[in-house]
Amino acid sequence: MPSPTSALKLFDLVQSHRVTAIIYVAAKLGIAELLRGGPQSLDALAKATGADQHALGRLLTGLSTIGVCARADDERYSLTETGTALDGAADHSVKSWVIFEGEMLSKSWSGLLESIVTGKTAAQLLGLSNSFDLMSRTPENVRIFNAAMADLTRLVTPDILSAYDFGRISHLMDVGGGSGELIGAVARQYPRLRGTVLDLPRCAAIANDHFQRMGVSDRASFLAGDFFKTVPAIADAIILKSVIHDWDDARSGVILKNCRQALPRDGTLLLVERIMPDSPTVKDEDKAHAMSDLNMLRGPGGLERTEKEHRHLLNENGFRPESIYPAGRFSVIEASVG
C-alpha cells in the first residue's frame, strides 16, 4: 500500500504538464522581456501584454512558485535568474525551446500511449515516413523547430568547447548543423579552423546570417545537401550533434557510412549525444535522458543509446571508437576511421 507521502509525490508528478503550460504562456506573453529592466507592477504588465489583470496575477503567482519570477514587493514582480532564460535576447535563452515544447511536443506526447502499444512514431501512425516529413507540411512548425534546435545547441556549446580540443582539426564539417550555432562558436574559438554546415537548403539563410554576426563568414560556410544521400569529401573531421539519436540503427547506419566515405584515412568523427546509463536512476540527468528517449520514440523514431550501443553502431559502420569526453548532459564521442 502506498503511503500518503508517496501518493502525493505521484500526484505532483502527474501534474507536471501544468508547469509546462504556464512557462509556455509566460514565453508567449513576453513576460521575461517586460521584466528585463527591473520589477514591474501587475497593472503595467497587464497593460503591456493585453491580458486580464486578475488572470495574469494568478499566472504570475504560479510562476513564482516554480522559481521563474518573484514578488519584488506587494505590487511588483521581478525575474529570477532562472526566469531570465525566458528572455529571447538572453545569451542562454531557451524561449524558442519553450515555444517548441508548448506548441508541438506537448501535443505530440498526448498520443504516447499509441506509440508505446504499437512501437510506431506519431508520423508512422499517420502513414508517413517520419516526423520531419510530417513537420514539413507546416512551414511555421519548421521555423519553431529550427529555432528550438538553435536554443539547445547554444545552451550546450560551451560544454562541448570545454570538453573537446578542436585545435588539431583544419576543416570541420557539421553534418545536419542547421543554423550554424556550433560551427560558428568553434570557428570563433579556433581562428585557424574552417567550418562547413551541411544541411537542407531551408537552413542556408539563417546559417549564413549567423556566420556574419559571429564574424566568421570568411571561414565558415553553408553547403546544401542531404546526409541520407551523400556527404561531400571536403573535411578532415565531421561532427554530428543530436543527429544519430533521431534515427534507428538502419537509418543511422546510412548516415554514418556516408560520413565514412567522406573522411580521409586519418579523419575523425565526433558524435555529440546523450549516453543512456545501463541502469538509470532517479537523478535529473538520467530522467532527462529517459524523457529524450521517449521523445525519440514518439517523434522521429530514434533512441538514446548506451555507451555499448554507440560503440556497436560505430563499429558496424566503419568507425573505431576512441574516447568519450563528458560535456554536461551530453558527451563528445570521438571515433577514427576503422
Side-chain angles (χ1 to χ4, degrees):
M1 292 289 291
S3 68
T5 300
S6 59
L8 279 172
K9 182 177 181 179
L10 183 59
F11 185 78
D12 289 339
L13 284 171
V14 81
Q15 297 182 71
S16 298
H17 65 100
R18 302 181 187 186
V19 174
T20 302
I22 66 172
I23 296 173
Y24 165 72
V25 172
K28 293 293 285 186
L29 290 177
I31 297 297
E33 287 84 355
L34 292 170
L35 295 177
R36 181 191 296 158
Q40 294 284 331
S41 69
L42 176 58
D43 180 62
L45 291 170
K47 288 176 180 176
T49 60
D52 176 84
Q53 183 169 327
H54 182 61
L56 181 61
R58 295 164 73 175
L59 175 73
L60 290 166
T61 296
L63 291 167
S64 69
T65 67
I66 59 171
V68 171
C69 68
R71 284 201 180 197
D73 51 44
D74 288 343
E75 297 292 331
R76 299 183 304 162
Y77 291 85
S78 63
L79 276 182
T80 63
E81 183 179 354
T82 298
T84 60
L86 267 184
D87 185 339
D91 287 343
H92 300 295
S93 173
V94 294
K95 181 175 182 176
S96 293
W97 186 277
V98 169
I99 292 172
F100 175 51
E101 195 82 41
E103 295 190 6
M104 294 175 64
L105 292 187
S106 61
K107 295 175 183 177
S108 174
W109 271 57
S110 66
L112 182 62
L113 177 60
E114 273 190 294
S115 290
I116 296 297
V117 170
T118 64
K120 294 182 178 181
T121 68
Q124 289 169 342
L125 288 165
L126 293 173
L128 298 172
S129 175
N130 60 71
S131 62
F132 295 106
D133 291 340
L134 178 61
M135 182 174 62
S136 67
R137 293 182 168 190
T138 309
E140 176 62 10
N141 284 351
V142 174
R143 187 198 66 76
I144 291 171
F145 174 82
N146 287 340
M149 294 307 108
D151 269 8
L152 177 59
T153 301
R154 195 180 307 117
L155 187 64
V156 304
T157 291
D159 288 328
I160 296 170
L161 290 172
S162 295
Y164 190 79
D165 181 6
F166 293 88
R168 64 179 180 80
I169 296 171
S170 61
H171 191 167
L172 178 66
M173 179 163 51
D174 189 353
V175 172
S179 63
E181 287 286 341
L182 181 55
I183 280 292
V186 175
R188 188 165 65 174
Q189 182 155 320
Y190 292 87
R192 295 184 180 180
L193 180 145
R194 291 171 56 215
T196 300
V197 169
L198 177 76
D199 213 318
L200 298 175
R202 66 188 181 211
C203 299
I206 190 170
N208 286 324
D209 287 346
H210 180 67
F211 296 148
Q212 287 281 355
R213 290 195 305 272
M214 295 283 285
V216 297
S217 57
D218 58 327
R219 293 181 292 110
S221 60
F222 182 90
L223 185 61
D226 182 345
F227 52 52
F228 282 119
K229 295 179 179 178
T230 186
V231 175
I234 60 174
D236 57 311
I238 288 174
I239 191 166
L240 293 153
K241 185 209 152 289
S242 300
V243 171
I244 295 302
H245 82 149
D246 283 339
W247 310 103
D248 61 18
D249 283 2
R251 301 202 77 180
S252 293
V254 173
I255 300 168
L256 291 172
K257 284 185 172 72
N258 286 338
C259 290
R260 168 65 183 83
Q261 291 175 2
L263 284 169
R265 282 190 174 184
D266 59 349
T268 299
L269 178 76
L270 301 172
L271 302 184
V272 179
E273 295 285 356
R274 298 177 185 271
I275 296 182
M276 280 285 285
D278 292 319
S279 300
T281 68
V282 295
K283 293 191 302 184
D284 287 345
E285 183 173 334
D286 291 1
K287 181 176 73 172
H289 291 353
M291 294 301 108
S292 182
D293 181 60
L294 289 168
N295 195 47
M296 294 304 102
L297 169 64
R298 183 62 183 161
L303 69 158
E304 302 297 350
R305 296 175 172 88
T306 63
E307 180 180 339
K308 181 179 179 180
E309 289 169 332
H310 278 295
R311 290 184 179 278
H312 175 75
L313 186 64
L314 288 166
N315 283 322
E316 288 292 302
N317 291 286
F319 289 99
R320 183 173 61 252
E322 299 288 353
S323 301
I324 295 177
Y325 302 88
R329 288 188 175 181
F330 288 75
S331 291
V332 181
I333 305 168
E334 182 184 52
S336 58
V337 175

